Amino acid sequence: MNHQTKIVPVLIVGGGPVGLSLALSLARHDIDSLLVEKHQGRTEHPRARGVSMRSMELFQQWGNITELLKYEFPKEAIRFIWSESLQGNEITRVEIKNIKQYSHGDLGASFVTQDCVELYLQETLNEHPNAQIEYSKEMVSFEEEADGVTVRLLDRKNDKEEIVKTKFLIAADGARSPTRKQLGIEMQGPDSLGQFCNVFCEFDISEWTSSRPSIGYFFTDPKIISRSLFMAYGKNRWIFGMRFAADNTRDDFTDDYCLNEIRRVLDLPNMAIKIINKNFWSMAAQIAQQYRKGRVLLVGDAAHRMPPTGGLGMNTGIADAHNLAWKLAFILNHQLNDNLLDSYFDERAPVAKRNIEWSIQNAKRFAEIAQAIHSGNNEKLKIKLQEQQANLNYEGLDLGYIYHSNAILSENNETMSVLPGKYVPTTLPGSRAPYVKLVKNGKTISTLDLFEKEFVLLLGSDGYEWQAAAEQLVKSILFPIKIYRVANHGDLIDVDNQWHQVYEITTTGAVLVRPDGHVAWRSQSIVGEPVEVLRNVFGLYPLHYSQEFPLKNAGTP
Ligand SMILES: Cc1cc2nc3c(=O)[nH]c(=O)nc-3n(C[C@H](O)[C@H](O)[C@H](O)COP(=O)(O)OP(=O)(O)OC[C@H]3O[C@@H](n4cnc5c(N)ncnc54)[C@H](O)[C@@H]3O)c2cc1C
């Protein structure tokens, strides 16, 4: 056996959308990382298709999303349709709205498949030499020591073992997370709410779909129940979904069986079909009891598993990665102690729990809609469709959650800005700082463009006292802070005269926004002694130099 030892500040296990997002976010904070993925390359199965507004916002910050938008589903198909069968009568439909006013003015959620998202993330990552990706490398085991984690990898190309020493090991290794298992962290919630086989395939049914395009068809004919059809990226590409019957095993879903089943369900016995690949998955609703043990942290499906009815699993994971990246970066770059990492579970687990619950409710409603159609209960159908319409338009859930942790100076216990289905912009501490159009150095920008690498203290147009106090204090703190006064003639120009109202402060108020774009603290007007108030606020992020974290960048011993 040949042992090589690498040293890297962050080792990410798993090259799915969440691992790639974390590597990208870390790279943008100048943190070196190594991502290892046991497969030879990215997934070739479409899996997720719904990309939330928040994920799109982050993608826009991380790279050129026009490349990603090339793969978007056609706008006229963004709906679900219930019909007796592919060729049978339409029963009903649910339109999925594309709300755009909350994010950079013109950015909304998107329907684009996970393989295309991963392609976008990987290509964007290629622009960052400080992020390495190694395929065919499997994490086999790890051991935590006082100053880091030693990880054993297997290079599957040549069967050789490698050793990597890292400051933080991040498990982005999916629902069955071997890292989580080695840590002995238990999952809470049901492990299997159903087994499914999704066949990614190519066939031409445009004769029936072009008059009623849809990203998903649900069939109500009892002979073809528990089969559905979902659009995938590419001409004539579809995902044919099959739920296991009680006595099914994976072995039943041979290519021949799948081909026959697709032809039977679509009532097209002679149709040419090309199977591209298959994906077996189980619907689960689980959350890890903890997201961290020492220097090992869980993100994405490794930390939570949710039914795909809601389109939230990948999106929740991407937001986990974004929440964690700046904290790791601040600890590594500014040699803070790692207490800040305690906030990761406190902030992200409630979001995952709510998203799991929401996805379960959606799954139940899909079943109730089918029942109402079968029993001819039109009154119930109307109610359930209305509910489902609201639930497929979940901008409140996506943008309106409010964190509570040791990294936020909370004002109350609210965990949502209003309702999951409705987003109401707010600057309650813990919330995502809202979008407002501003002008900086003659250029139109969004408030969201300001938040990534440093803390940002936004001051009302008369916020001179805060400004003087903050400028006095920043000299003695280690992490970077930018200070802006927002006014008609300020550092940031409030072109539409909206900022004070949307940011819920008077002209003497102040809002501190973290690098992840969440509000850490606000004061609606001037209060107390500004230097003392701000000293207390900045004290949230302890500035202890730590001997435990002397290492910043990667190297080979
Ligand atoms: C049918 C379906 C539809 C869905 N639709 C949506 C949707 O519309 N929107 C949405 O947000 N989510 C959706 N999801 C959920 C989404 O697919 C997952 O949440 C997402 O893939 C999780 O990403 P991840 O990076 O955490 O894990 P994964 O994508 O599972 O990636 C984990 C990676 O880790 C690798 N790995 C595992 N062990 C090791 C090891 N020991 N060493 C190295 N590598 C390892 C694996 O090979 C894998 O590539 C859907 C899921 C399904 C099944």
Side-chain angles (χ1 to χ4, degrees):
M1 252 193 250
N2 176 18
H3 286 279
Q4 285 180 342
T5 303
K6 280 186 187 159
I7 296 181
V8 66
V10 181
L11 176 66
I12 302 165
V13 182
V18 177
L20 291 168
S21 295
L22 181 63
L24 191 47
S25 202
L26 285 171
R28 292 179 61 86
H29 282 284
D30 297 324
I31 295 294
D32 297 353
S33 69
L34 169 64
L35 182 155
V36 290
E37 165 57 53
K38 67 180 179 185
H39 289 123
Q40 286 171 3
R42 296 184 317 271
T43 179
E44 288 174 357
H45 189 84
R47 267 224 281 189
R49 306 180 311 150
V51 183
S52 71
M53 204 185 305
R54 183 64 178 144
S55 297
M56 290 303 290
E57 248 169 43
L58 297 176
F59 293 169
Q60 171 143 313
Q61 190 168 56
W62 296 341
N64 177 7
I65 54 165
T66 45
E67 283 306 300
L68 179 62
L69 294 177
K70 278 198 318 214
Y71 304 112
E72 257 193 329
F73 291 168
K75 300 259 178 289
E76 64 276 12
I78 308 302
R79 62 168 69 89
F80 286 123
I81 287 183
W82 281 259
S83 60
E84 290 165 350
S85 60
L86 176 67
Q87 299 154 48
N89 291 329
E90 180 173 326
I91 314 266
T92 191
R93 56 177 66 191
V94 166
E95 302 289 339
I96 303 167
K97 293 183 225 145
N98 196 358
I99 292 157
K100 291 194 167 188
Q101 70 265 35
Y102 301 124
S103 181
H104 294 293
D106 60 354
L107 190 70
S110 183
F111 281 91
V112 52
T113 52
Q114 183 169 331
D115 49 337
C116 299
V117 169
E118 291 186 21
L119 173 70
Y120 157 81
L121 290 169
Q122 197 199 23
E123 288 188 342
T124 311
L125 257 178
N126 290 342
E127 294 159 21
H128 294 273
N130 57 343
Q132 297 168 57
I133 304 182
E134 295 185 3
Y135 286 105
S136 301
K137 288 265 168 83
E138 181 173 2
M139 188 285 295
V140 180
S141 64
F142 59 88
E143 223 164 280
E144 186 172 344
E145 288 129 20
D147 63 346
V149 188
T150 300
V151 185
R152 265 181 357 119
L153 302 177
L154 176 70
D155 187 336
R156 290 170 145 198
K157 291 191 295 296
N158 55 22
D159 227 16
K160 283 189 177 151
E161 195 174 89
E162 286 176 16
I163 302 291
V164 176
K165 285 184 180 284
T166 185
K167 290 285 148 192
F168 293 102
L169 173 65
I170 313 298
D173 47 1
R176 305 273 166 210
S177 175
T179 311
R180 186 188 67 225
K181 282 191 188 129
Q182 198 191 311
L183 288 172
I185 296 178
E186 295 290 331
M187 295 296 270
Q188 289 172 322
D191 179 34
S192 182
L193 299 166
Q195 296 284 324
F196 297 81
C197 173
N198 279 10
V199 189
F200 178 32
C201 41
E202 214 171 272
F203 48 76
D204 184 1
I205 49 169
S206 50
E207 191 180 338
W208 295 279
T209 54
S210 51
S211 60
R212 52 179 188 206
S214 168
I215 60 165
Y217 297 90
F218 302 97
F219 303 131
T220 59
D221 181 338
K223 293 196 289 297
I224 54 175
I225 202 88
S226 76
R227 303 292 186 248
S228 22
L229 192 61
F230 300 101
M231 185 181 278
Y233 167 72
K235 193 166 186 291
N236 297 332
R237 291 195 161 189
W238 297 95
I239 305 157
F240 183 76
M242 290 178 280
R243 192 185 182 112
F244 282 29
D247 55 351
N248 274 144
T249 67
R250 280 185 182 211
D251 295 342
D252 297 333
F253 294 85
T254 60
D255 282 5
D256 277 347
Y257 173 80
C258 294
L259 291 170
N260 287 336
E261 195 56 6
I262 296 170
R263 291 184 179 120
R264 179 185 78 83
V265 168
L266 301 185
D267 198 16
L268 295 167
N270 300 313
M271 183 172 65
I273 304 173
K274 179 179 153 200
I275 293 184
I276 302 167
N277 56 45
K278 285 183 250 171
N279 180 38
F280 292 95
W281 57 281
S282 57
M283 194 188 281
Q286 293 193 305
I287 183 157
Q289 273 179 331
Q290 57 195 95
Y291 283 10
R292 175 188 176 200
K293 246 188 190 176
R295 292 165 178 276
V296 188
L297 295 110
L298 313 179
V299 284
D301 277 15
H304 42 70
R305 302 174 64 194
M306 54 193 80
T309 40
L312 287 166
M314 174 180 73
N315 292 309
T316 310
I318 289 168
D320 293 342
H322 184 241
N323 181 288
L324 185 57
W326 76 269
K327 294 173 183 172
L328 290 173
F330 267 51
I331 289 164
L332 290 162
N333 276 342
H334 307 295
Q335 299 178 338
L336 304 182
N337 72 28
D338 64 356
N339 293 347
L340 189 55
L341 292 180
D342 291 339
S343 65
Y344 169 58
F345 178 80
D346 296 342
E347 293 178 359
R348 293 302 307 163
V351 177
K353 279 184 191 154
R354 188 177 305 111
N355 291 353
I356 289 170
E357 188 48 39
W358 185 262
S359 307
I360 292 173
Q361 295 307 329
N362 271 347
K364 281 189 184 150
R365 244 182 318 270
F366 274 115
E368 286 167 348
I369 289 169
Q371 275 163 12
I373 291 170
H374 283 284
S375 60
N377 186 340
N378 288 338
E379 199 45 42
K380 186 173 173 197
L381 177 63
K382 215 167 117 194
I383 295 168
K384 292 297 156 191
L385 284 173
Q386 261 167 9
E387 286 175 10
Q388 201 68 318
Q389 177 113 33
N391 287 3
L392 292 167
N393 295 290
Y394 56 84
E395 76 265 9
L397 205 67
D398 184 26
L399 303 179
Y401 50 77
I402 299 175
Y403 292 151
H404 295 279
S405 73
N406 65 2
I408 300 283
L409 277 175
S410 294
E411 284 173 17
N412 61 30
N413 295 327
E414 301 287 344
T415 56
M416 286 298 294
S417 65
V418 174
L419 291 168
K422 172 124 189 73
Y423 168 64
V424 174
T426 178
T427 52
L428 263 177
S431 61
R432 161 190 163 281
Y435 160 77
V436 176
K437 188 168 84 181
L438 298 171
V439 167
K440 186 181 175 204
N441 301 328
K443 225 177 111 191
T444 300
I445 62 155
S446 147
T447 38
L448 307 181
D449 296 329
L450 300 168
F451 314 134
E452 186 178 22
K453 303 212 169 150
E454 54 257 315
F455 281 80
V456 175
L457 184 63
L458 294 170
L459 305 174
S461 55
D462 295 319
Y464 300 102
E465 287 182 65
W466 291 120
Q467 186 161 3
E471 281 168 0
Q472 183 185 327
L473 286 172
V474 289
K475 293 181 195 126
S476 59
I477 60 177
L478 287 174
F479 52 82
I481 294 190
K482 285 254 166 73
I483 305 162
Y484 298 105
R485 216 167 39 78
V486 188
N488 290 337
H489 301 286
D491 315 309
L492 296 173
I493 298 170
D494 181 14
V495 263
D496 294 335
N497 226 359
Q498 280 195 336
W499 185 78
H500 291 87
Q501 190 199 342
V502 177
Y503 271 62
E504 300 174 320
I505 61 167
T506 67
T507 59
T508 63
V511 180
L512 180 69
V513 184
R514 309 189 313 188
D516 61 354
H518 281 256
V519 175
W521 160 86
R522 72 174 179 184
S523 179
Q524 286 170 301
S525 53
I526 192 84
V527 283
E529 175 48 54
V531 173
E532 286 319 306
V533 175
L534 284 183
R535 203 192 302 279
N536 183 36
V537 173
F538 295 157
L540 274 179
Y541 308 100
L543 300 173
H544 307 154
Y545 271 110
S546 164
Q547 294 311 308
E548 284 177 70
F549 300 104
L551 180 82
K552 188 180 164 217
N553 282 316
T556 309

